[in-house]
């Protein structure tokens, strides 16, 4: 394993100290994994809803990179691929409450669900109102009444951006939660890997792929996919990924979509832009218009080579909120 780290145990705290040095608009408690806007709740208008998200580290810039105006009030980072503890989530939640409550945006993983639930209960005991929205957009995992169900992946960024814009306008907590759930209901994602990732603590790949193999349906924690094939062209890969997404996204044809072509940490921009071109071709052939898009590393899996695609059906309300100003370390426009 070759990584620019001091030790596997200090990776998250060291990275957060670097984030604090690079972005003075953030307040960082590195040992607790808590990142908030520097002004905190005191710098927000009374009665403004705060958004908080978090989860295991290794997906940067998700979530701390999206703390700022128009998105999150706080993010809480756990160890690599491991949920933050309830005490830290609760401390961050109480710190950013400006009197109107806090929306927890939680990716659908068992540890995150349990720990955010416990944190919310503790905060409500202290008089802080908390709503929760669970993101479960990954179509590689079937929805089921039993078990954890679908994983939360790229749609998390869409939820944070769109719900964050509505909160910035002063909407009440219930309304912000409703639009967040609307985004999640209209979003689907699918990922492919050319290589596995290597966690600092393990020091070896989570799974092994042959030189001529690609893994379809992978998870962002290095989980193996649901199918392994021989390496395909970008065109063939885009078609396979969009087949999986569109099979599960009814009435997509004719509706505009917001698109995320997301790198997993080890894929150069040139390849992501090739994928973007192929996605445009496939969607065009199916009568789907891309109204807005992002291309880059937004929800990563350490050093994994590959990408995820996320589509979100968007009406005028969602597009307006997507276009609203945002000013964070990793997403910025209109400011």
């Amino acid at each position: 394993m070759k990584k620019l780290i001091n030790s596997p145990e200090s990776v998250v705290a060291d990275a957060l100290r670097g984030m604090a040095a690079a972005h003075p608009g953030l307040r960082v408690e590195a040992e607790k994994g808590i990142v908030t806007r520097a002004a905190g709740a005191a710098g927000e208008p009374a009665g403004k809803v705060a958004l908080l998200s978090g989860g295991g580290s290794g997906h940067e810039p998700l979530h701390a990179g999206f703390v700022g105006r128009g998105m999150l009030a706080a993010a809480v980072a756990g160890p690599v691929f491991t949920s933050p503890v309830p005490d830290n989530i609760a401390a961050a939640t109480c710190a950013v409450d400006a009197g109107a409550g806090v929306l927890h945006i939680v990716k659908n993983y068992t540890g995150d669900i349990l720990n955010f639930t416990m944190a919310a209960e503790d905060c409500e005991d202290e008089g802080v109102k908390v709503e929760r929205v669970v993101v479960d957009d990954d179509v590689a995992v079937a929805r089921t009444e039993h078990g954890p169900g679908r994983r939360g992946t790229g749609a998390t960024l869409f939820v944070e951006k769109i719900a964050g814009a509505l909160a910035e306008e002063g909407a009440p907590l219930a309304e912000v939660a409703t639009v967040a759930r609307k985004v999640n209901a209209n979003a689907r994602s699918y990922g492919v890997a050319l290589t596995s990732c290597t966690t600092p603590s393990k020091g070896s790949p989570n799974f092994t792929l042959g030189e001529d193999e690609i893994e379809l349906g992978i998870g962002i924690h290095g989980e193996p996919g649901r199918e392994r094939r021989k390496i395909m062209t970008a065109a063939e890969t885009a078609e396979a990924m969009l087949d999986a997404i569109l099979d599960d996204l009814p009435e997509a044809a004719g509706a505009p979509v917001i698109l995320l072509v997301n790198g997993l940490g080890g894929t150069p921009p040139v390849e992501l832009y090739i994928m973007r071109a192929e996605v445009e071709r496939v969607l065009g052939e199916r009568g789907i218009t891309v109204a807005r898009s992002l291309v880059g590393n937004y929800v990563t899996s350490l050093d994994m080579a590959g990408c995820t695609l996320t589509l979100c059906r968007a009406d005028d309300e969602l597009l307006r909120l997507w276009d609203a100003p945002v000013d964070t370390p990793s997403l910025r426009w209109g400011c």
Side-chain angles (χ1 to χ4, degrees):
M1 180 178 70
K2 294 181 180 179
K3 292 184 179 294
L4 293 173
I5 64 174
N6 294 314
S7 71
E9 296 75 22
S10 69
V11 163
V12 175
D14 289 347
L16 289 176
R17 280 190 283 270
M19 175 167 272
H23 302 287
L26 301 178
R27 184 170 68 86
V28 177
E29 297 179 62
E31 299 304 325
K32 293 184 177 181
I34 297 174
V35 179
T36 61
R37 304 184 197 184
E44 299 291 342
K48 180 175 176 293
V49 170
L51 271 62
L52 182 149
S53 194
S57 296
H59 307 304
E60 291 74 19
L62 194 78
H63 296 274
F66 303 130
V67 173
R69 177 188 170 199
M71 288 190 78
L72 300 177
V76 188
V80 172
F81 296 168
T82 303
S83 176
V85 298
D87 285 352
N88 292 343
I89 300 169
T93 301
C94 293
V96 298
D97 178 42
V102 180
L103 179 66
H104 282 176
I105 299 170
V106 186
K107 301 189 302 303
N108 190 33
Y109 299 96
T110 301
D112 288 348
I113 296 293
L114 290 173
N115 289 354
F116 273 85
T117 297
M118 288 188 282
E121 291 170 352
D122 290 345
C123 292
E124 287 170 344
D125 289 343
E126 298 297 321
V128 177
K129 187 175 182 180
V130 179
E131 281 265 13
R132 184 180 76 187
V133 171
V134 176
V135 183
D136 59 350
D137 55 306
D138 183 4
V139 301
V141 179
R143 282 203 170 101
T144 174
E145 294 181 1
H146 308 286
R150 288 187 170 167
R151 302 173 292 218
T153 59
T156 312
L157 183 156
F158 290 170
V159 172
E160 292 175 358
K161 171 63 186 79
I162 290 171
L166 190 59
E168 207 71 48
E169 294 177 355
L173 181 58
E175 188 175 337
V176 176
T178 295
V179 83
R181 294 186 181 108
K182 177 180 176 180
V183 173
N184 181 64
N186 283 281
R188 302 290 190 277
S189 297
Y190 193 82
V192 300
L194 308 181
T195 69
S196 178
C197 62
T198 299
T199 58
S201 60
K202 184 180 179 184
S204 60
N206 285 17
F207 58 89
T208 302
L209 281 172
E211 289 296 323
D212 61 345
E213 292 180 324
I214 187 172
E215 191 92 359
L216 286 83
I218 50 86
I220 59 171
H221 296 90
E223 304 98 327
R226 68 181 187 183
E227 182 182 0
R228 188 168 293 191
R229 296 186 190 179
K230 295 299 183 181
I231 191 73
M232 301 183 290
T233 65
E236 293 167 335
T237 303
E239 289 165 2
M241 296 175 77
L242 289 169
D243 281 344
I245 290 173
L246 295 175
D247 282 350
D248 202 85
L249 191 61
E251 301 175 5
V257 298
I258 303 171
L259 165 68
L260 172 63
V261 179
N262 172 67
L264 291 168
T267 302
V270 65
E271 295 178 29
L272 297 178
Y273 280 114
I274 292 170
M275 288 296 294
R276 175 66 180 86
E278 295 302 336
V279 169
E280 185 77 14
R281 174 186 61 80
V282 175
L283 293 180
E285 291 171 353
R286 302 186 189 192
I288 300 171
T289 301
V290 178
R292 307 287 188 275
S293 69
L294 287 176
V295 179
N297 291 297
Y298 293 98
V299 184
T300 62
S301 182
L302 292 170
D303 55 349
M304 181 182 285
C307 74
T308 62
L309 300 180
T310 303
L311 296 183
C312 179
R313 289 179 302 196
D315 57 18
D316 290 343
E317 177 193 32
L318 298 190
L319 289 176
R320 180 185 68 80
L321 293 169
W322 178 262
D323 290 340
V326 59
D327 188 5
T328 72
S330 299
L331 204 65
R332 186 177 191 275
W333 59 69
C335 298

